[in-house]
Amino acid sequence: MRACSPADLAVSVDVLCQCLRNDADLHELCADRTIFRELGRDRIIINHATGDPIESEGFERPAAKWSVRFLDAPVSGGARVRKLALLPVSSTAELTHSRTAAPSWNAIAPAMGPAGSGQIARLCNNALTISNLRNVVEVFAMADKLGLSLAGLREAFAHSSGGSFILQALGTKVTMSNAAHIAELNRTDLREFAQAMSRKHVDPTALLQWGFRGQTA
């Protein structure tokens, strides 16, 4: 069944899942609080998009005034390969209040913490991916100077403790044709990570410098 509007959808569900482009889109969706009103007491809205952890905390407060539970559980992965991973939901304890949602959700995503925790997990995932890329760039540059076959090295690492998702992505998901675009996305991800950590009073400098150097190597 197709709903005519977000409000029409909200009134007919126990759990409203949305995956918009950014926090600005979510602000627009929730601006007049109609979504919260139509969802009603003890219903749940889940944000699957990547955003700022503090913004998630900001969405939680107005939702709570309508007795609606706001959770963040951003997704990670590639839409092109039609495979996405669901990162930790902010609190599955909240989902136990919904008899409809709890059984299925507990099998999908672990709890991480209060509102914003899922977003922090997503940003940390991005930062770790990019820092791993830097590791690959450094090690393969040294191997190349020593005359090793990089293709052979990549294949060998795929079956050893040096293997990683990012290593296997090089030459497959990351190619010469899309490398520049992906590098720009990585720079954006690093900036978002650094801004979020700084707003939480955590110094991201070391990881930021390491990751950015990898993007220009």
Side-chain angles (χ1 to χ4, degrees):
M1 188 179 83
R2 183 172 182 176
C4 297
S5 69
D8 287 340
L9 177 61
V11 77
S12 62
V13 298
D14 290 322
V15 181
L16 179 63
C17 300
Q18 56 76 34
C19 190
L20 304 175
R21 294 173 300 180
N22 50 40
D23 289 327
D25 282 353
L26 188 54
H27 274 293
E28 183 178 346
L29 178 68
C30 301
D32 63 1
R33 309 307 188 225
T34 300
I35 289 292
F36 301 144
R37 184 181 68 246
E38 297 300 336
L39 275 170
R41 294 181 60 85
D42 296 329
R43 297 299 192 267
I44 298 166
I45 182 169
I46 302 174
N47 179 23
H48 290 302
T50 300
D52 187 279
I54 293 179
E55 290 282 355
S56 288
E57 296 168 9
F59 288 121
E60 182 186 41
R61 287 188 289 272
K65 292 180 180 179
W66 293 88
S67 297
V68 173
R69 293 169 175 81
F70 180 89
L71 307 176
D72 56 301
V75 294
S76 176
R80 181 174 296 180
V81 295
R82 300 180 181 180
K83 186 177 182 180
L84 297 172
L86 190 64
L87 287 166
V89 68
S90 47
S91 175
T92 52
E94 299 287 353
L95 287 166
T96 61
H97 291 275
S98 171
R99 286 174 294 179
T100 302
S104 59
W105 193 269
N106 287 333
I108 297 173
M112 182 60 69
S117 299
Q119 298 298 347
I120 292 174
R122 176 73 170 96
L123 294 169
C124 287
N125 176 74
N126 291 350
L128 186 59
T129 298
I130 296 164
S131 63
N132 286 343
L133 176 58
R134 168 72 194 281
N135 295 337
V136 172
V137 169
E138 291 290 330
V139 169
F140 273 57
M142 295 180 205
D144 188 43
K145 289 179 180 178
L146 296 172
L148 275 70
S149 164
L150 300 188
L153 202 61
R154 176 178 174 276
E155 179 63 24
F157 286 167
H159 306 286
S160 69
S161 59
S164 67
F165 171 84
I166 194 64
L167 180 62
Q168 290 306 304
L170 296 178
T172 55
K173 297 179 178 66
V174 181
T175 65
M176 291 298 293
S177 62
N178 65 14
H181 174 65
I182 290 176
E184 183 56 38
L185 294 178
N186 286 346
R187 285 189 284 270
T188 298
D189 287 342
L190 272 177
R191 293 187 190 100
E192 290 178 348
F193 167 81
Q195 290 167 1
M197 293 300 108
S198 295
R199 291 180 68 183
K200 287 289 190 178
H201 309 293
V202 174
D203 184 6
T205 302
L207 196 147
L208 189 66
Q209 291 177 343
W210 178 258
F212 266 124
R213 184 174 171 184
Q215 295 302 304
T216 58

